[in-house]
Amino acid sequence: MSIVGIQRRLIRSIPITMLFVAVMAPTVRAQDPHPLDQTAPPPMKIITRAERAQIEQAKEDKARVKLTIELAETHLANVENQTSQQQWEGAAADAGMYWALIDDVLSFLKSIEHDSNRRRDLYKRVELALRSHGPRWTTIRHSTPAEYAVWIKEIEEFARNGRTEALNSFYGQTVMREGPQKPSDSKQPSKPLDKN
């Protein structure tokens, strides 16, 4: 084969090579991991020393629960504000502090005597707060990038489970389970009297 024949073959193969590269390039690019597909590190669940000191100074259980909820709501407001400004790291930090405070108040409520009205009232306060927090967390999650939204979803579910725990505390031992009913003695027909 002559040099001219080889050159003609190369010229003819260029469009085929270009077509192959054009078809395969998107496939190769799709295999590269996108940096946006990575999840952010989980928010740190911490209660600052100043907040811990405030909580510990509360004399009564009611004051302690109320203060803890107020601190958590402050962090939730900060998360909303920072999310609207697209400051994801700051929002994640405040979300972790919210998470830690709600976890702390739920743990505290478990330590109170079970059959007391006081405990029930405190759980009701927590339940009402968590009920109002749910839609706010949903709004935050929808406006947060996917790598942070994973943790917002987890906090949202944690708050929902905390609310369920608070609601369940109202029922305690008094809930009756569904199941087969035993016939009561009062519904049995009376026997006819013997007239001997």
Side-chain angles (χ1 to χ4, degrees):
M1 204 177 213
S2 70
I3 295 181
V4 174
I6 293 174
Q7 288 176 343
R8 284 187 189 156
R9 277 189 152 173
L10 286 174
I11 292 173
R12 284 186 206 152
S13 66
I14 288 177
I16 295 172
T17 306
M18 294 299 284
L19 179 64
F20 179 76
V21 169
V23 170
M24 295 307 287
T27 306
V28 171
R29 210 174 324 133
Q31 292 175 356
D32 293 336
H34 296 341
L36 296 178
D37 291 344
Q38 305 296 322
T39 57
M44 292 183 59
K45 289 174 50 174
I46 59 169
I47 299 175
T48 64
R49 286 183 184 159
E51 289 175 342
R52 176 61 69 195
Q54 283 181 292
I55 292 169
E56 296 297 328
Q57 288 176 356
K59 302 281 188 226
E60 298 177 356
D61 295 342
K62 182 177 179 179
R64 178 185 174 131
V65 170
K66 182 179 178 183
L67 176 63
T68 305
I69 291 171
E70 288 172 358
L71 292 171
E73 287 175 346
T74 301
H75 288 295
L76 178 55
N78 290 343
V79 172
E80 290 172 319
N81 184 33
Q82 291 172 345
T83 299
S84 68
Q85 297 174 11
Q86 299 182 353
Q87 297 174 350
W88 313 121
E89 294 293 326
D94 273 304
M97 291 180 203
Y98 169 90
W99 196 353
L101 286 165
I102 296 301
D103 191 29
D104 182 70
V105 77
L106 291 172
S107 297
F108 173 72
L109 289 175
K110 289 176 185 174
S111 69
I112 297 175
E113 181 183 339
H114 286 284
D115 293 331
S116 72
N117 288 336
R118 181 175 49 113
R119 180 176 188 248
R120 187 196 68 226
D121 293 343
L122 294 175
Y123 262 119
K124 182 63 177 175
R125 182 179 292 269
V126 171
E127 187 275 326
L128 289 172
L130 292 177
R131 181 190 323 169
S132 69
H133 296 174
R136 293 168 71 184
W137 280 114
T138 302
T139 303
I140 292 167
R141 181 172 45 90
H142 289 298
S143 60
T144 303
E147 65 264 25
Y148 292 98
V150 170
W151 300 113
I152 299 298
K153 175 75 173 167
E154 190 167 329
I155 294 170
E156 184 181 6
E157 288 176 5
F158 171 77
R160 186 178 305 116
N161 292 340
R163 181 173 177 229
T164 301
E165 179 183 324
L167 286 171
N168 287 341
S169 73
F170 286 95
Y171 301 109
Q173 307 295 334
T174 62
V175 175
M176 297 182 69
R177 306 265 183 230
E178 283 188 30
Q181 299 287 329
K182 293 182 180 179
S184 72
D185 293 332
S186 63
K187 293 184 181 179
Q188 291 180 354
S190 60
K191 295 182 181 180
L193 294 174
D194 271 342
K195 296 182 181 181
N196 291 340

PDB file of all heavy atoms in Angstrom, residues 3 10 31 39 43 56 88-89 93 97-98 103 109 111 117 131-133 135 144 161 168 170 175 178 187:
ATOM      1  N   ILE A   3       1.763   5.430   0.274  1.00  0.00           N
ATOM      2  CA  ILE A   3       1.555   6.484   1.263  1.00  0.00           C
ATOM      3  C   ILE A   3       0.266   7.237   0.961  1.00  0.00           C
ATOM      4  O   ILE A   3      -0.464   7.622   1.872  1.00  0.00           O
ATOM      5  CB  ILE A   3       2.765   7.438   1.278  1.00  0.00           C
ATOM      6  CG1 ILE A   3       3.973   6.662   1.753  1.00  0.00           C
ATOM      7  CG2 ILE A   3       2.496   8.637   2.144  1.00  0.00           C
ATOM      8  CD1 ILE A   3       5.215   7.466   1.847  1.00  0.00           C
ATOM      9  N   LEU A  10      -6.800   7.374   6.402  1.00  0.00           N
ATOM     10  CA  LEU A  10      -6.818   8.201   7.611  1.00  0.00           C
ATOM     11  C   LEU A  10      -7.852   9.316   7.488  1.00  0.00           C
ATOM     12  O   LEU A  10      -8.574   9.617   8.438  1.00  0.00           O
ATOM     13  CB  LEU A  10      -5.433   8.789   7.891  1.00  0.00           C
ATOM     14  CG  LEU A  10      -4.399   7.811   8.435  1.00  0.00           C
ATOM     15  CD1 LEU A  10      -3.038   8.478   8.540  1.00  0.00           C
ATOM     16  CD2 LEU A  10      -4.828   7.307   9.799  1.00  0.00           C
ATOM     17  N   GLN A  31     -19.758   9.452  34.425  1.00  0.00           N
ATOM     18  CA  GLN A  31     -19.187   8.584  35.439  1.00  0.00           C
ATOM     19  C   GLN A  31     -18.420   9.356  36.495  1.00  0.00           C
ATOM     20  O   GLN A  31     -18.123   8.833  37.560  1.00  0.00           O
ATOM     21  CB  GLN A  31     -18.269   7.553  34.779  1.00  0.00           C
ATOM     22  CG  GLN A  31     -19.037   6.567  33.925  1.00  0.00           C
ATOM     23  CD  GLN A  31     -18.101   5.621  33.184  1.00  0.00           C
ATOM     24  OE1 GLN A  31     -16.890   5.744  33.250  1.00  0.00           O
ATOM     25  NE2 GLN A  31     -18.688   4.677  32.459  1.00  0.00           N
ATOM     26  N   THR A  39     -22.963  14.501  50.416  1.00  0.00           N
ATOM     27  CA  THR A  39     -23.689  15.121  51.521  1.00  0.00           C
ATOM     28  C   THR A  39     -22.715  15.885  52.400  1.00  0.00           C
ATOM     29  O   THR A  39     -21.557  15.508  52.549  1.00  0.00           O
ATOM     30  CB  THR A  39     -24.430  14.069  52.369  1.00  0.00           C
ATOM     31  OG1 THR A  39     -23.482  13.122  52.836  1.00  0.00           O
ATOM     32  CG2 THR A  39     -25.516  13.386  51.585  1.00  0.00           C
ATOM     33  N   PRO A  43     -24.687  18.135  61.078  1.00  0.00           N
ATOM     34  CA  PRO A  43     -24.536  19.260  62.003  1.00  0.00           C
ATOM     35  C   PRO A  43     -24.180  18.747  63.395  1.00  0.00           C
ATOM     36  O   PRO A  43     -24.653  17.694  63.825  1.00  0.00           O
ATOM     37  CB  PRO A  43     -25.914  19.928  61.993  1.00  0.00           C
ATOM     38  CG  PRO A  43     -26.847  18.929  61.431  1.00  0.00           C
ATOM     39  CD  PRO A  43     -26.052  17.973  60.608  1.00  0.00           C
ATOM     40  N   GLU A  56     -29.646  25.033  83.360  1.00  0.00           N
ATOM     41  CA  GLU A  56     -29.398  24.468  84.687  1.00  0.00           C
ATOM     42  C   GLU A  56     -29.849  25.405  85.811  1.00  0.00           C
ATOM     43  O   GLU A  56     -30.161  24.958  86.906  1.00  0.00           O
ATOM     44  CB  GLU A  56     -27.913  24.126  84.854  1.00  0.00           C
ATOM     45  CG  GLU A  56     -27.411  23.045  83.918  1.00  0.00           C
ATOM     46  CD  GLU A  56     -28.087  21.697  84.122  1.00  0.00           C
ATOM     47  OE1 GLU A  56     -28.470  21.374  85.258  1.00  0.00           O
ATOM     48  OE2 GLU A  56     -28.224  20.960  83.133  1.00  0.00           O
ATOM     49  N   TRP A  88     -25.289  28.309  54.164  1.00  0.00           N
ATOM     50  CA  TRP A  88     -25.614  26.922  54.511  1.00  0.00           C
ATOM     51  C   TRP A  88     -24.847  26.429  55.729  1.00  0.00           C
ATOM     52  O   TRP A  88     -25.400  25.686  56.540  1.00  0.00           O
ATOM     53  CB  TRP A  88     -25.374  26.011  53.310  1.00  0.00           C
ATOM     54  CG  TRP A  88     -25.948  26.554  52.039  1.00  0.00           C
ATOM     55  CD1 TRP A  88     -25.272  26.838  50.895  1.00  0.00           C
ATOM     56  CD2 TRP A  88     -27.316  26.912  51.768  1.00  0.00           C
ATOM     57  NE1 TRP A  88     -26.130  27.340  49.943  1.00  0.00           N
ATOM     58  CE2 TRP A  88     -27.388  27.393  50.447  1.00  0.00           C
ATOM     59  CE3 TRP A  88     -28.484  26.870  52.516  1.00  0.00           C
ATOM     60  CZ2 TRP A  88     -28.566  27.820  49.855  1.00  0.00           C
ATOM     61  CZ3 TRP A  88     -29.665  27.303  51.939  1.00  0.00           C
ATOM     62  CH2 TRP A  88     -29.707  27.769  50.628  1.00  0.00           C
ATOM     63  N   GLU A  89     -23.589  26.798  55.867  1.00  0.00           N
ATOM     64  CA  GLU A  89     -22.786  26.328  57.011  1.00  0.00           C
ATOM     65  C   GLU A  89     -23.341  26.867  58.330  1.00  0.00           C
ATOM     66  O   GLU A  89     -23.466  26.135  59.311  1.00  0.00           O
ATOM     67  CB  GLU A  89     -21.322  26.752  56.847  1.00  0.00           C
ATOM     68  CG  GLU A  89     -20.602  26.095  55.691  1.00  0.00           C
ATOM     69  CD  GLU A  89     -20.407  24.605  55.880  1.00  0.00           C
ATOM     70  OE1 GLU A  89     -20.203  24.158  57.026  1.00  0.00           O
ATOM     71  OE2 GLU A  89     -20.469  23.878  54.876  1.00  0.00           O
ATOM     72  N   ALA A  93     -25.078  24.791  61.476  1.00  0.00           N
ATOM     73  CA  ALA A  93     -24.627  24.890  62.872  1.00  0.00           C
ATOM     74  C   ALA A  93     -25.799  25.162  63.810  1.00  0.00           C
ATOM     75  O   ALA A  93     -25.939  24.515  64.854  1.00  0.00           O
ATOM     76  CB  ALA A  93     -23.573  25.984  63.005  1.00  0.00           C
ATOM     77  N   MET A  97     -27.694  22.851  66.884  1.00  0.00           N
ATOM     78  CA  MET A  97     -27.990  23.339  68.241  1.00  0.00           C
ATOM     79  C   MET A  97     -29.464  23.151  68.579  1.00  0.00           C
ATOM     80  O   MET A  97     -29.808  22.777  69.705  1.00  0.00           O
ATOM     81  CB  MET A  97     -27.581  24.807  68.363  1.00  0.00           C
ATOM     82  CG  MET A  97     -26.079  25.014  68.326  1.00  0.00           C
ATOM     83  SD  MET A  97     -25.700  26.764  68.464  1.00  0.00           S
ATOM     84  CE  MET A  97     -24.087  26.812  67.738  1.00  0.00           C
ATOM     85  N   TYR A  98     -30.333  23.395  67.600  1.00  0.00           N
ATOM     86  CA  TYR A  98     -31.768  23.136  67.792  1.00  0.00           C
ATOM     87  C   TYR A  98     -31.984  21.661  68.139  1.00  0.00           C
ATOM     88  O   TYR A  98     -32.687  21.322  69.086  1.00  0.00           O
ATOM     89  CB  TYR A  98     -32.537  23.498  66.515  1.00  0.00           C
ATOM     90  CG  TYR A  98     -33.974  23.029  66.516  1.00  0.00           C
ATOM     91  CD1 TYR A  98     -34.988  23.843  67.016  1.00  0.00           C
ATOM     92  CD2 TYR A  98     -34.327  21.769  66.027  1.00  0.00           C
ATOM     93  CE1 TYR A  98     -36.299  23.411  67.030  1.00  0.00           C
ATOM     94  CE2 TYR A  98     -35.626  21.340  66.035  1.00  0.00           C
ATOM     95  CZ  TYR A  98     -36.619  22.153  66.540  1.00  0.00           C
ATOM     96  OH  TYR A  98     -37.930  21.722  66.564  1.00  0.00           O
ATOM     97  N   ASP A 103     -33.524  17.390  71.866  1.00  0.00           N
ATOM     98  CA  ASP A 103     -33.130  16.097  72.425  1.00  0.00           C
ATOM     99  C   ASP A 103     -32.976  16.197  73.942  1.00  0.00           C
ATOM    100  O   ASP A 103     -33.404  15.310  74.682  1.00  0.00           O
ATOM    101  CB  ASP A 103     -31.827  15.644  71.771  1.00  0.00           C
ATOM    102  CG  ASP A 103     -31.477  14.203  72.084  1.00  0.00           C
ATOM    103  OD1 ASP A 103     -32.397  13.397  72.301  1.00  0.00           O
ATOM    104  OD2 ASP A 103     -30.271  13.877  72.111  1.00  0.00           O
ATOM    105  N   LEU A 109     -37.717  15.263  80.165  1.00  0.00           N
ATOM    106  CA  LEU A 109     -39.106  14.887  80.456  1.00  0.00           C
ATOM    107  C   LEU A 109     -39.229  13.415  80.824  1.00  0.00           C
ATOM    108  O   LEU A 109     -40.105  13.042  81.606  1.00  0.00           O
ATOM    109  CB  LEU A 109     -40.008  15.223  79.263  1.00  0.00           C
ATOM    110  CG  LEU A 109     -40.242  16.704  79.033  1.00  0.00           C
ATOM    111  CD1 LEU A 109     -41.046  16.925  77.756  1.00  0.00           C
ATOM    112  CD2 LEU A 109     -40.942  17.346  80.215  1.00  0.00           C
ATOM    113  N   SER A 111     -37.262  11.853  82.653  1.00  0.00           N
ATOM    114  CA  SER A 111     -36.799  11.675  84.028  1.00  0.00           C
ATOM    115  C   SER A 111     -37.838  12.097  85.068  1.00  0.00           C
ATOM    116  O   SER A 111     -37.647  11.846  86.254  1.00  0.00           O
ATOM    117  CB  SER A 111     -35.506  12.470  84.244  1.00  0.00           C
ATOM    118  OG  SER A 111     -35.778  13.862  84.225  1.00  0.00           O
ATOM    119  N   ASN A 117     -49.558  14.918  86.635  1.00  0.00           N
ATOM    120  CA  ASN A 117     -50.169  15.876  85.710  1.00  0.00           C
ATOM    121  C   ASN A 117     -49.143  16.897  85.248  1.00  0.00           C
ATOM    122  O   ASN A 117     -49.234  17.417  84.140  1.00  0.00           O
ATOM    123  CB  ASN A 117     -51.351  16.582  86.387  1.00  0.00           C
ATOM    124  CG  ASN A 117     -52.532  15.656  86.549  1.00  0.00           C
ATOM    125  OD1 ASN A 117     -52.663  14.675  85.817  1.00  0.00           O
ATOM    126  ND2 ASN A 117     -53.377  15.948  87.517  1.00  0.00           N
ATOM    127  N   ARG A 131     -45.181  20.952  67.016  1.00  0.00           N
ATOM    128  CA  ARG A 131     -46.206  21.015  65.973  1.00  0.00           C
ATOM    129  C   ARG A 131     -45.996  22.263  65.112  1.00  0.00           C
ATOM    130  O   ARG A 131     -46.116  22.206  63.892  1.00  0.00           O
ATOM    131  CB  ARG A 131     -47.605  21.046  66.579  1.00  0.00           C
ATOM    132  CG  ARG A 131     -48.679  21.086  65.502  1.00  0.00           C
ATOM    133  CD  ARG A 131     -50.069  21.346  65.977  1.00  0.00           C
ATOM    134  NE  ARG A 131     -50.423  20.742  67.230  1.00  0.00           N
ATOM    135  CZ  ARG A 131     -51.533  21.049  67.889  1.00  0.00           C
ATOM    136  NH1 ARG A 131     -52.366  21.936  67.404  1.00  0.00           N
ATOM    137  NH2 ARG A 131     -51.813  20.469  69.032  1.00  0.00           N
ATOM    138  N   SER A 132     -45.673  23.378  65.747  1.00  0.00           N
ATOM    139  CA  SER A 132     -45.453  24.608  64.980  1.00  0.00           C
ATOM    140  C   SER A 132     -44.110  24.593  64.244  1.00  0.00           C
ATOM    141  O   SER A 132     -43.954  25.284  63.240  1.00  0.00           O
ATOM    142  CB  SER A 132     -45.538  25.832  65.897  1.00  0.00           C
ATOM    143  OG  SER A 132     -44.438  25.869  66.781  1.00  0.00           O
ATOM    144  N   HIS A 133     -43.160  23.811  64.711  1.00  0.00           N
ATOM    145  CA  HIS A 133     -41.844  23.755  64.069  1.00  0.00           C
ATOM    146  C   HIS A 133     -41.863  22.917  62.790  1.00  0.00           C
ATOM    147  O   HIS A 133     -41.061  23.162  61.884  1.00  0.00           O
ATOM    148  CB  HIS A 133     -40.805  23.177  65.017  1.00  0.00           C
ATOM    149  CG  HIS A 133     -40.571  24.016  66.232  1.00  0.00           C
ATOM    150  ND1 HIS A 133     -39.753  23.594  67.258  1.00  0.00           N
ATOM    151  CD2 HIS A 133     -41.034  25.236  66.613  1.00  0.00           C
ATOM    152  CE1 HIS A 133     -39.735  24.511  68.205  1.00  0.00           C
ATOM    153  NE2 HIS A 133     -40.511  25.519  67.832  1.00  0.00           N
ATOM    154  N   PRO A 135     -43.842  22.548  59.987  1.00  0.00           N
ATOM    155  CA  PRO A 135     -43.928  23.215  58.673  1.00  0.00           C
ATOM    156  C   PRO A 135     -42.736  24.136  58.389  1.00  0.00           C
ATOM    157  O   PRO A 135     -42.327  24.287  57.237  1.00  0.00           O
ATOM    158  CB  PRO A 135     -45.220  24.043  58.776  1.00  0.00           C
ATOM    159  CG  PRO A 135     -45.999  23.425  59.883  1.00  0.00           C
ATOM    160  CD  PRO A 135     -45.011  22.814  60.813  1.00  0.00           C
ATOM    161  N   THR A 144     -33.170  24.365  50.647  1.00  0.00           N
ATOM    162  CA  THR A 144     -31.787  24.033  50.980  1.00  0.00           C
ATOM    163  C   THR A 144     -31.214  23.104  49.917  1.00  0.00           C
ATOM    164  O   THR A 144     -31.915  22.219  49.437  1.00  0.00           O
ATOM    165  CB  THR A 144     -31.742  23.348  52.365  1.00  0.00           C
ATOM    166  OG1 THR A 144     -32.328  24.213  53.320  1.00  0.00           O
ATOM    167  CG2 THR A 144     -30.338  23.028  52.783  1.00  0.00           C
ATOM    168  N   ASN A 161     -40.921  12.755  65.452  1.00  0.00           N
ATOM    169  CA  ASN A 161     -40.917  11.642  66.408  1.00  0.00           C
ATOM    170  C   ASN A 161     -41.017  12.138  67.844  1.00  0.00           C
ATOM    171  O   ASN A 161     -41.653  11.500  68.689  1.00  0.00           O
ATOM    172  CB  ASN A 161     -39.663  10.789  66.233  1.00  0.00           C
ATOM    173  CG  ASN A 161     -39.662  10.038  64.915  1.00  0.00           C
ATOM    174  OD1 ASN A 161     -40.698   9.838  64.294  1.00  0.00           O
ATOM    175  ND2 ASN A 161     -38.486   9.648  64.465  1.00  0.00           N
ATOM    176  N   ASN A 168     -47.950  10.507  72.842  1.00  0.00           N
ATOM    177  CA  ASN A 168     -48.113   9.192  73.459  1.00  0.00           C
ATOM    178  C   ASN A 168     -48.060   9.262  74.980  1.00  0.00           C
ATOM    179  O   ASN A 168     -48.628   8.414  75.660  1.00  0.00           O
ATOM    180  CB  ASN A 168     -47.060   8.215  72.945  1.00  0.00           C
ATOM    181  CG  ASN A 168     -47.327   7.783  71.521  1.00  0.00           C
ATOM    182  OD1 ASN A 168     -48.439   7.920  71.019  1.00  0.00           O
ATOM    183  ND2 ASN A 168     -46.310   7.271  70.865  1.00  0.00           N
ATOM    184  N   PHE A 170     -49.624  11.169  76.827  1.00  0.00           N
ATOM    185  CA  PHE A 170     -50.951  11.461  77.363  1.00  0.00           C
ATOM    186  C   PHE A 170     -51.746  10.196  77.641  1.00  0.00           C
ATOM    187  O   PHE A 170     -52.672  10.210  78.426  1.00  0.00           O
ATOM    188  CB  PHE A 170     -51.751  12.327  76.388  1.00  0.00           C
ATOM    189  CG  PHE A 170     -51.283  13.735  76.351  1.00  0.00           C
ATOM    190  CD1 PHE A 170     -50.374  14.139  75.398  1.00  0.00           C
ATOM    191  CD2 PHE A 170     -51.720  14.649  77.285  1.00  0.00           C
ATOM    192  CE1 PHE A 170     -49.919  15.432  75.369  1.00  0.00           C
ATOM    193  CE2 PHE A 170     -51.269  15.952  77.263  1.00  0.00           C
ATOM    194  CZ  PHE A 170     -50.369  16.339  76.301  1.00  0.00           C
ATOM    195  N   VAL A 175     -54.746   3.268  77.604  1.00  0.00           N
ATOM    196  CA  VAL A 175     -55.201   2.928  76.272  1.00  0.00           C
ATOM    197  C   VAL A 175     -55.584   1.457  76.235  1.00  0.00           C
ATOM    198  O   VAL A 175     -54.843   0.587  76.670  1.00  0.00           O
ATOM    199  CB  VAL A 175     -54.103   3.213  75.218  1.00  0.00           C
ATOM    200  CG1 VAL A 175     -54.537   2.741  73.847  1.00  0.00           C
ATOM    201  CG2 VAL A 175     -53.772   4.677  75.209  1.00  0.00           C
ATOM    202  N   GLU A 178     -57.411  -3.004  70.818  1.00  0.00           N
ATOM    203  CA  GLU A 178     -58.490  -3.678  70.116  1.00  0.00           C
ATOM    204  C   GLU A 178     -58.204  -5.165  70.120  1.00  0.00           C
ATOM    205  O   GLU A 178     -57.065  -5.594  70.048  1.00  0.00           O
ATOM    206  CB  GLU A 178     -58.569  -3.191  68.673  1.00  0.00           C
ATOM    207  CG  GLU A 178     -59.203  -1.846  68.533  1.00  0.00           C
ATOM    208  CD  GLU A 178     -59.441  -1.499  67.076  1.00  0.00           C
ATOM    209  OE1 GLU A 178     -59.663  -2.421  66.262  1.00  0.00           O
ATOM    210  OE2 GLU A 178     -59.403  -0.308  66.773  1.00  0.00           O
ATOM    211  N   LYS A 187     -75.043  -9.943  80.036  1.00  0.00           N
ATOM    212  CA  LYS A 187     -75.790 -10.146  78.812  1.00  0.00           C
ATOM    213  C   LYS A 187     -76.248 -11.597  78.644  1.00  0.00           C
ATOM    214  O   LYS A 187     -76.860 -11.927  77.645  1.00  0.00           O
ATOM    215  CB  LYS A 187     -74.954  -9.727  77.603  1.00  0.00           C
ATOM    216  CG  LYS A 187     -74.685  -8.242  77.568  1.00  0.00           C
ATOM    217  CD  LYS A 187     -73.943  -7.872  76.323  1.00  0.00           C
ATOM    218  CE  LYS A 187     -73.650  -6.373  76.308  1.00  0.00           C
ATOM    219  NZ  LYS A 187     -72.909  -5.961  75.147  1.00  0.00           N
TER     220      LYS A 187
END
